[in-house]
Amino acid sequence: MTGKRPDIDIERKRLLRRALRLEWLTVSWNAVEGVIAVVAAAAAGSVALLGFGIDSFVEAASGAVILWRIWAERRATDAARIARVDDIARRGVAASLWLLALYVAADAIMALIAGERPSASAVGVALLVASLVVMKWLANTKRAVARALHSHSMEADAAQTDFCWKLSVVALIGLVANALLGWWWADPLAALGLAALIATEARRTWKLEAACCG
């Protein structure tokens, strides 16, 4: 007798449906978050908040890559094909991490050179606090589903969501430190360190072996 047990197939389909819901939430949240952050950044003149907003669009693109991977598995019956699709999707997530690292580094350097100090932004602070809660929950939940599915691409996407959470911390500290202490340089220096971490994660993600989706 060959083939998977019916209960295993049912469980995997349930996990795939949950993964789809998580990725739709990721894409939707980050799209709305990005728009609010960019508008608030323009009003306050905040480079850090602008960087955070653009990062939200990169995160939304990463979620779209994983949506493509999940749809491909739901249509496919060949495990080897699913593994190839997962590998392509994983590399797409890695590429978006590289893009994010380059942008954060460039944004931080420009902020240091310009020495621009953002105005206080109540909307920006509220958005960043909300992002801290949502991103941490999303990252942990996506990581659990990714491990159950044996999907490297979704694990990489969970890692990128973690980095989005860290960027929320960096942006929030930068806005608060500048507003309360006048430390305008705190945000870009922290962002440079974070860019190095993101680049390291992008390199690790690119070198991961293709997931086995048996």
Side-chain angles (χ1 to χ4, degrees), residues 41-62:
S46 171
V47 177
L49 195 54
L50 178 62
F52 174 80
I54 296 179
D55 163 68
S56 296
F57 295 129
V58 175
E59 177 73 11
S62 173

Side-chain angles (χ1 to χ4, degrees), residues 131-210:
S131 179
L132 290 177
V133 177
V134 175
M135 289 297 106
K136 179 55 68 176
W137 176 81
L138 269 176
N140 291 341
T141 307
K142 286 197 286 189
R143 187 171 288 108
V145 174
R147 288 171 180 170
L149 287 171
H150 306 291
S151 172
H152 285 311
S153 60
M154 194 169 183
E155 280 199 53
D157 185 58
Q160 185 161 343
T161 303
D162 262 334
F163 279 117
C164 187
W165 179 84
K166 292 177 182 177
L167 283 180
S168 301
V169 174
V170 169
L172 185 59
I173 291 174
L175 288 180
V176 173
N178 179 68
L180 298 182
L181 303 174
W183 294 354
W184 64 269
W185 39 264
D187 185 300
L189 282 183
L192 279 175
L194 187 55
L197 290 175
I198 295 173
T200 300
E201 179 65 17
R203 183 173 180 270
R204 184 193 69 82
T205 301
W206 186 268
K207 290 188 173 183
L208 282 173
E209 294 181 0

Side-chain angles (χ1 to χ4, degrees), residues 13-57:
K13 288 178 181 178
R14 185 190 69 80
L15 287 168
L16 286 170
R17 287 195 298 269
R18 191 177 187 193
L20 273 174
R21 289 194 296 268
L22 287 170
E23 294 305 331
W24 274 118
L25 178 58
T26 297
V27 172
S28 301
W29 172 270
N30 280 282
V32 173
E33 179 183 74
V35 171
I36 295 174
V38 169
V39 172
S46 171
V47 177
L49 195 54
L50 178 62
F52 174 80
I54 296 179
D55 163 68
S56 296
F57 295 129

